[in-house]
């Protein structure tokens, strides 16, 4: 009996060879230097920010090398509903304008290097495993869970490195006849890779972010095919898929770095060239005084849903991540405001290899800046789109009189330094509710009167102002002069310098008078430009509000 017999007994129906597959998946016809990258998520029903950040790197690498970016669904390990989980992944990518060049989605297959779902590639994996068995580099292992637990315990008690390697890998020395007999008796088995490595020996390998690494050789006979569903493990599928699909650059989280020696040994066993690796540092955040990894369990911002729910402009999250990916991105973006992020030439070397610091405050700043530079039409369009999905009542209110809403969104916008008050669309209602009569009516009101807070003084200012000074048609200068006139008339100073030096010498200043008018019509002591607010709010609404506080 030979290894070939063993391989045929395990995979009697597998007739295609590795060479057949090499022909079916020929070199890609791409220009010199083109990078082929992939996003290879497991469909868990959750889209992690960290995954998206890797996908952006993949996308940028492919796009600015005239290469290709594909989506591969790694569903060998999931018992959950794959369809919805994949919808979530594809929608998340598309929301940010990231469309894979190759994928399989909703029955539409783009690309000739599929199937793009690992669960549909079983036959391919089996052909490659069959080959390894034939050349004596893989074997069936019949150890039960109890035996493996026992082995681990034994190793732990003696403080030995745990794992199935060397003399602990007892199934590697089973005679072929014995292996075949066990299989024919219906015993359960997994397939393990037969390592030739020596853990005490080191080898050098390059990671494009981390530089040259010195790692111990792999000596573990790790599982490459599971027993129940006969699907491969991640380690094995990674090697076969990235080889056949001609991935040039594998971008993945640094949690995979420790398995790299396994992957490299597998590539070598097949005689395949390994791709280049970019192991991305974990996304970390500040938590009080410490810094820790962003966690799915603790941090809502770990989920991509967070940014969509809140209504961050897509460019804002992309920019925040790009800035972490390469710190010179911000400068490049300022110099090339009209270019899309995928035109930026990403340099793995410039990436911090220790940790990627993701800061929500920074995202807010980036986002405020981006929204402030939009036209009123753009903000309206984006706000409405967001509200239609997440705040239907508000969507209805703002769309009743679109021009009215736009005039509100335009306050302090078309100017050299536009106002930066909205970080995301969900924040807008809480900042402009008082501009909509129907929201104002039902809103809980807390009048934020300032220095002038006696009802007598307030009434005096309001009555005088609206009866004798306010005119909707005034230009801004006239408007302000009138507020000053009113102040002088009622004994409030307009000499701000003198007032600041000795506030107690005065009843108040023109600023206090403006505050009274502002609070009277909005309830807020801080708002955007009061002149604009008074100009935009309908006359009858102004009258109603004034009457209410009298
Ligand atoms: N399916 C793996 C994961 O979701 C992919 C790692 C890789 O990109 O190779 O972590």
């Amino acid at each position: 009996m030979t290894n070939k017999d063993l391989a045929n007994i395990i995979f009697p129906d597998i007739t295609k060879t590795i060479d057949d597959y090499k022909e079916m998946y020929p070199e890609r016809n791409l220009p010199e230097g083109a990078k082929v990258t992939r996003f290879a998520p497991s469909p868990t029903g959750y889209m992690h920010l960290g995954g998206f950040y890797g996908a952006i790197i993949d996308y940028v690498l492919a796009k600015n090398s005239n290469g290709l970016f594909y989506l591969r669904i790694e569903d060998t390990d999931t018992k959950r509903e794959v369809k919805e989980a994949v919808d979530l992944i594809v929608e998340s990518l598309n929301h940010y304008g990231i469309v894979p060049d190759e994928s399989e989605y909703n029955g539409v297959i783009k690309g000739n290097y599929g199937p793009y779902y690992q669960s549909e590639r079983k036959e391919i994996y089996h052909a490659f495993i069959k080959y390894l068995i034939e050349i004596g580099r893989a074997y069936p292992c019949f150890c039960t869970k109890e035996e493996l637990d026992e082995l681990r315990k034994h190793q732990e008690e003696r403080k030995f490195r745990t794992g199935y390697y060397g003399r602990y890998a007892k199934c590697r020395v089973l005679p072929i006849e014995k292996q075949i007999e066990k299989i024919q008796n219906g015993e359960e088995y997994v397939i393990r890779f037969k390592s030739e490595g020596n853990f005490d020996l080191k080898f050098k390998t390059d990671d494009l972010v981390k530089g040259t690494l010195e790692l111990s050789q792999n000596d573990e006979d790790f599982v490459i095919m599971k027993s129940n569903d006969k699907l491969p493990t991640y380690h094995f599928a990674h090697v076969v898929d990235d080889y056949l699909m001609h991935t040039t650059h594998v971008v993945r989280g640094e949690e995979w770095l420790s398995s790299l020696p396994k992957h490299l040994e597998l590539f070598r066993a097949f005689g395949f060239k390994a791709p280049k690796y970019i192991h991305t540092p974990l996304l970390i955040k500040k938590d009080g005084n410490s810094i820790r990894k962003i966690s799915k369990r603790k941090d809502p911002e770990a989920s991509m849903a967070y940014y969509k729910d809140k209504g961050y402009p897509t460019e804002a999250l992309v920019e925040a991540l790009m800035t972490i990916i390469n710190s010179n991105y911000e400068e490049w973006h300022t110099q090339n405001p009209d270019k899309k992020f995928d035109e930026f030439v990403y340099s793995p070397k410039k990436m911090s290899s220790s940790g990627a610091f993701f800061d929500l405050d920074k995202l807010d700043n980036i986002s405020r800046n981006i929204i402030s530079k939009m036209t009123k039409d753009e903000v309206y369009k984006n706000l409405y789109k967001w509200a239609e999905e997440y705040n239907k009542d508000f969507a209805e209110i703002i769309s009743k009189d679109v021009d009215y809403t736009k005039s509100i969104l335009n306050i302090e916008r078309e100017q050299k330094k536009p106002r930066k008050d909205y970080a995301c669309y969900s924040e807008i209602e809480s900042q402009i509710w008082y501009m909509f009569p129907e929201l104002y009516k039902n809103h809980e009101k807390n009048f934020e009167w300032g220095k002038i807070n006696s009802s007598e003084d307030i009434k005096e200012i309001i009555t005088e102002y609206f009866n004798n000074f306010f005119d909707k048609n005034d230009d801004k200068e006239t408007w302000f002069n009138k507020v000053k006139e009113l102040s002088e008339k009622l004994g409030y100073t307009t000499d701000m310098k003198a007032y600041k030096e000795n506030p107690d010498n005065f009843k108040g200043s023109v600023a206090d008078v403006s505050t009274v008018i502002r609070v009277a019509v909005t309830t807020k002591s801080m708002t955007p430009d009061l002149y604009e607010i008074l100009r935009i709010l309908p006359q009858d609404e102004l009258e109603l509000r004034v009457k209410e506080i009298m």
Side-chain angles (χ1 to χ4, degrees), residues 38 40-42 74 234 250-252 256:
R38 83 296 194 275
S42 306
E74 306 218 317
Y234 168 77
V250 166
V251 178
R252 61 183 182 189
W256 293 111

Side-chain angles (χ1 to χ4, degrees), residues 306-371:
Y306 176 85
Y307 307 93
K308 195 160 175 263
D309 291 2
K310 290 234 166 202
Y312 279 97
T314 52
E315 309 90 289
L317 184 64
V318 169
E319 190 174 328
L321 292 174
M322 286 300 291
T323 310
I324 303 177
I325 289 167
N326 267 179
S327 57
N328 56 325
Y329 178 78
E330 223 166 341
E331 199 188 324
W332 174 86
H333 187 57
T334 317
Q335 285 162 4
N336 302 281
D338 300 326
K339 290 202 173 153
K340 248 195 87 197
F341 72 95
D342 58 26
E343 292 177 63
F344 173 76
V345 180
Y346 157 72
S347 157
K349 273 203 203 78
K350 288 199 192 117
M351 191 161 186
S352 143
S353 61
S354 45
F357 189 61
F358 182 78
D359 182 7
L360 280 178
D361 290 338
K362 168 110 201 210
L363 172 67
D364 281 351
N365 280 334
I366 291 176
S367 191
R368 274 193 204 99
N369 211 4
I370 290 177
I371 298 182

Side-chain angles (χ1 to χ4, degrees), residues 249-477:
H249 290 66
V250 166
V251 178
R252 61 183 182 189
E254 67 181 5
E255 66 275 20
W256 293 111
L257 197 56
S258 58
S259 345
L260 184 58
K262 290 190 176 70
H263 306 153
L264 293 177
E265 198 188 352
L266 261 181
F267 275 109
R268 226 173 315 113
F270 281 115
F272 299 158
K273 183 167 170 260
K276 294 203 163 66
Y277 286 95
I278 291 180
H279 287 96
T280 55
L282 291 172
L283 286 178
I284 49 175
K285 69 177 276 181
K286 237 204 218 118
D287 185 3
N289 286 332
S290 57
I291 288 188
R292 62 167 175 81
K293 115 177 202 234
I294 294 188
S295 107
K296 175 173 167 181
R297 201 168 44 83
K298 291 190 203 149
D299 307 307
E301 74 269 27
S303 164
M304 287 304 287
Y306 176 85
Y307 307 93
K308 195 160 175 263
D309 291 2
K310 290 234 166 202
Y312 279 97
T314 52
E315 309 90 289
L317 184 64
V318 169
E319 190 174 328
L321 292 174
M322 286 300 291
T323 310
I324 303 177
I325 289 167
N326 267 179
S327 57
N328 56 325
Y329 178 78
E330 223 166 341
E331 199 188 324
W332 174 86
H333 187 57
T334 317
Q335 285 162 4
N336 302 281
D338 300 326
K339 290 202 173 153
K340 248 195 87 197
F341 72 95
D342 58 26
E343 292 177 63
F344 173 76
V345 180
Y346 157 72
S347 157
K349 273 203 203 78
K350 288 199 192 117
M351 191 161 186
S352 143
S353 61
S354 45
F357 189 61
F358 182 78
D359 182 7
L360 280 178
D361 290 338
K362 168 110 201 210
L363 172 67
D364 281 351
N365 280 334
I366 291 176
S367 191
R368 274 193 204 99
N369 211 4
I370 290 177
I371 298 182
S372 79
K373 287 187 186 142
M374 292 177 184
T375 63
K376 63 175 188 300
D377 297 334
E378 285 167 331
V379 187
Y380 177 79
K381 191 175 117 220
N382 295 338
L383 170 64
Y384 182 74
K385 192 165 164 225
W386 171 84
E388 239 191 335
E389 191 171 349
Y390 294 99
N391 187 348
K392 288 215 162 42
D393 293 345
F394 192 52
E396 206 186 308
I397 290 171
I398 60 173
S399 58
K400 268 189 198 146
D401 183 346
V402 175
D403 288 338
Y404 181 75
T405 305
K406 285 185 180 171
S407 64
I408 299 165
L409 296 173
N410 208 35
I411 300 179
E412 293 183 59
R413 179 167 300 278
E414 289 167 2
Q415 55 194 33
K416 202 157 167 228
K417 280 199 173 157
R419 202 178 161 90
K420 299 182 181 176
D421 36 13
Y422 314 131
C424 51
Y425 302 116
S426 60
E427 268 180 21
I428 295 186
E429 181 181 356
S430 69
Q431 294 190 39
I432 61 172
W433 57 273
Y434 52 76
M435 295 304 288
F436 296 93
E438 47 191 314
L439 288 177
Y440 187 85
K441 199 166 50 194
N442 302 320
H443 208 278
E444 194 188 315
K445 293 182 194 74
N446 167 30
F447 288 88
E448 297 171 355
W449 306 112
K451 177 163 165 154
I452 304 168
N453 53 22
S454 84
S455 82
E456 227 168 88
D457 291 342
I458 291 170
K459 278 181 192 161
E460 184 188 36
I461 293 172
I462 295 302
T463 319
E464 189 65 33
Y465 181 61
F466 284 99
N467 287 345
N468 302 323
F469 290 89
F470 177 62
D471 181 346
K472 245 186 186 308
N473 301 315
D474 284 341
D475 61 24
K476 190 155 183 187
E477 204 186 328

Side-chain angles (χ1 to χ4, degrees), residues 72-337:
R72 180 173 74 223
I73 303 299
E74 306 218 317
D75 57 346
T76 59
D77 210 14
T78 176
K79 283 158 200 73
R80 280 177 253 200
E81 184 53 59
V82 173
K83 165 89 180 70
E84 274 157 38
V86 174
D87 286 348
L88 182 79
I89 291 163
V90 173
E91 278 159 22
S92 282
L93 293 179
N94 289 353
H95 183 63
Y96 292 89
I98 297 181
V99 181
D101 300 302
E102 292 182 3
S103 64
E104 183 176 330
Y105 184 56
N106 270 347
V108 180
I109 301 175
K110 280 201 296 183
N112 299 324
Y113 287 77
Y116 296 93
Y117 283 70
Q118 288 186 331
S119 60
E120 293 170 21
R121 300 172 63 81
K122 205 173 188 171
E123 224 182 279
I124 304 176
Y125 303 125
H126 285 182
F128 280 70
I129 295 171
K130 190 171 184 182
Y131 168 78
L132 284 185
I133 297 175
E134 285 170 1
I135 63 164
R137 292 301 305 273
Y139 62 89
C141 165
F142 303 90
C143 289
T144 60
K145 183 174 177 302
E146 291 67 35
E147 284 171 299
L148 294 173
D149 287 347
E150 192 53 42
L151 169 64
R152 167 173 284 269
K153 213 171 115 215
H154 173 90
Q155 289 168 327
E156 277 169 356
E157 277 169 7
R158 286 163 186 75
K159 301 214 165 17
F160 293 158
R161 188 159 52 86
T162 57
Y164 203 84
Y165 59 89
R167 63 199 163 96
Y168 302 113
K170 62 179 196 188
C171 287
R172 67 149 54 195
V173 290
L174 274 185
I176 294 179
E177 288 70 23
K178 194 83 196 155
Q179 292 173 334
I180 293 176
E181 185 191 316
K182 280 174 170 286
I183 291 170
Q184 284 170 342
N185 283 343
E187 275 190 47
E188 282 212 358
Y189 61 92
V190 297
I191 304 286
R192 286 182 187 272
F193 177 59
K194 193 187 243 174
S195 170
E196 290 178 350
N198 178 345
F199 187 79
D200 296 326
L201 295 182
K202 304 258 185 205
F203 70 101
K204 284 194 177 149
T205 186
D206 285 325
D207 177 275
L208 296 192
V209 172
K210 303 196 179 276
T212 303
L213 302 165
E214 212 179 64
L215 306 172
S216 283
Q217 290 183 2
N218 171 64
D219 67 348
E220 270 188 66
D221 286 0
F222 55 91
V223 176
I224 56 176
M225 187 186 89
K226 296 175 281 169
S227 69
N228 49 353
D229 51 17
K230 308 282 183 224
L231 279 167
T233 54
Y234 168 77
H235 307 310
F236 193 75
H238 154 50
V239 170
V240 173
D241 292 347
D242 286 314
Y243 170 70
L244 287 180
M245 296 168 144
H246 299 277
T247 310
T248 62
H249 290 66
V250 166
V251 178
R252 61 183 182 189
E254 67 181 5
E255 66 275 20
W256 293 111
L257 197 56
S258 58
S259 345
L260 184 58
K262 290 190 176 70
H263 306 153
L264 293 177
E265 198 188 352
L266 261 181
F267 275 109
R268 226 173 315 113
F270 281 115
F272 299 158
K273 183 167 170 260
K276 294 203 163 66
Y277 286 95
I278 291 180
H279 287 96
T280 55
L282 291 172
L283 286 178
I284 49 175
K285 69 177 276 181
K286 237 204 218 118
D287 185 3
N289 286 332
S290 57
I291 288 188
R292 62 167 175 81
K293 115 177 202 234
I294 294 188
S295 107
K296 175 173 167 181
R297 201 168 44 83
K298 291 190 203 149
D299 307 307
E301 74 269 27
S303 164
M304 287 304 287
Y306 176 85
Y307 307 93
K308 195 160 175 263
D309 291 2
K310 290 234 166 202
Y312 279 97
T314 52
E315 309 90 289
L317 184 64
V318 169
E319 190 174 328
L321 292 174
M322 286 300 291
T323 310
I324 303 177
I325 289 167
N326 267 179
S327 57
N328 56 325
Y329 178 78
E330 223 166 341
E331 199 188 324
W332 174 86
H333 187 57
T334 317
Q335 285 162 4
N336 302 281

